Amino acid sequence: DALPILSSGFMDTRTRLFGYDGNLWVDEQLQVLQQATPAKQGDIDCIIIDSTDYGSAETLFTDAFYAKLKRLMSPTSIMIVNLDSPSWNPDIVASVQRQLGDHFRFSFLYQAHQPTFLSGHYSFLFLSDAIHPMKTLVDWSHWAGLEVPTYYYNPGVHFGSFMVPEGIRRQLSM
């Protein structure tokens, strides 16, 4: 009730939120998938990981966890990972990008200015086997026709957010 615009997405029947151990949730989903059709790949279109700081919940930062997540994803899906400040923690950002780059064909860092974060400079990872964030065509006319009210996002911000400073880019394996 306090944030009606933000919370309206929770009413969408496509939205499913889970608030408990992410590794346990992934294991439960894999069991369901195996029982339904043992050889089937998952059908999740988008996974957004807004996890705790790296190293705090160790099982959520392992290659095994990411491999399990990938089994739940459809072949054309994307995963977005909340990362860290590329200005304050470039080694962590580069390390995680390399780690996840081993699991996905496309692994791209993108950045945003997030005033609630101490440095204000924050980064995320865009991961996919099928969608390249800069080369896969986006129907911007369709986007405009949806008339989604945004305060920050637009096509220029979309492309610009993947343009990272040279010192950070040199550390990445993009």
Side-chain angles (χ1 to χ4, degrees):
D1 291 335
L3 302 168
I5 293 173
L6 181 63
S7 64
S8 65
F10 300 137
M11 301 307 187
D12 188 318
T13 57
R14 299 169 297 176
T15 302
R16 297 184 327 174
L17 297 174
F18 301 91
Y20 62 99
D21 183 314
N23 193 49
L24 176 62
W25 181 85
V26 168
D27 287 342
E28 290 171 357
Q29 301 311 304
L30 284 172
Q31 287 177 352
V32 170
L33 183 65
Q34 279 299 116
Q35 291 169 356
T37 48
K40 186 177 184 270
Q41 184 170 356
D43 60 359
I44 295 174
D45 292 322
C46 180
I47 293 176
I48 300 172
I49 300 176
D50 184 11
S51 63
T52 185
D53 293 339
Y54 281 85
S56 297
E58 292 184 23
T59 60
L60 303 181
F61 305 104
T62 64
D63 286 327
F65 177 71
Y66 295 123
K68 291 188 293 186
L69 269 177
K70 191 166 179 185
R71 287 182 44 213
L72 293 174
M73 298 168 69
S74 73
T76 58
S77 67
I78 65 170
M79 180 167 25
I80 303 299
V81 177
N82 169 6
L83 202 46
D84 206 332
S85 169
S87 298
W88 287 8
N89 297 308
D91 294 339
I92 291 174
V93 168
S95 173
V96 174
Q97 192 267 336
R98 280 191 297 274
Q99 177 188 15
L100 288 170
D102 290 342
H103 294 274
F104 293 90
R105 182 173 170 211
F106 302 117
S107 170
F108 284 87
L109 183 80
Y110 68 99
Q111 60 188 342
H113 296 282
Q114 186 171 318
T116 57
F117 187 72
L118 293 175
S119 75
H121 188 202
Y122 206 79
S123 64
F124 308 86
L125 276 178
F126 177 101
L127 303 152
S128 181
D129 283 334
I131 299 172
H132 187 294
M134 299 293 286
K135 295 180 181 176
T136 301
L137 293 179
V138 176
D139 185 348
W140 292 111
S141 296
H142 177 72
W143 167 257
L146 294 173
E147 298 181 359
V148 176
T150 65
Y151 178 79
Y152 184 80
Y153 185 76
N154 62 46
V157 168
H158 173 84
F159 290 110
S161 63
F162 288 96
M163 302 295 132
V164 297
E166 185 62 20
I168 295 167
R169 191 196 61 78
R170 277 192 227 122
Q171 294 186 49
L172 303 174
S173 61
M174 302 189 315

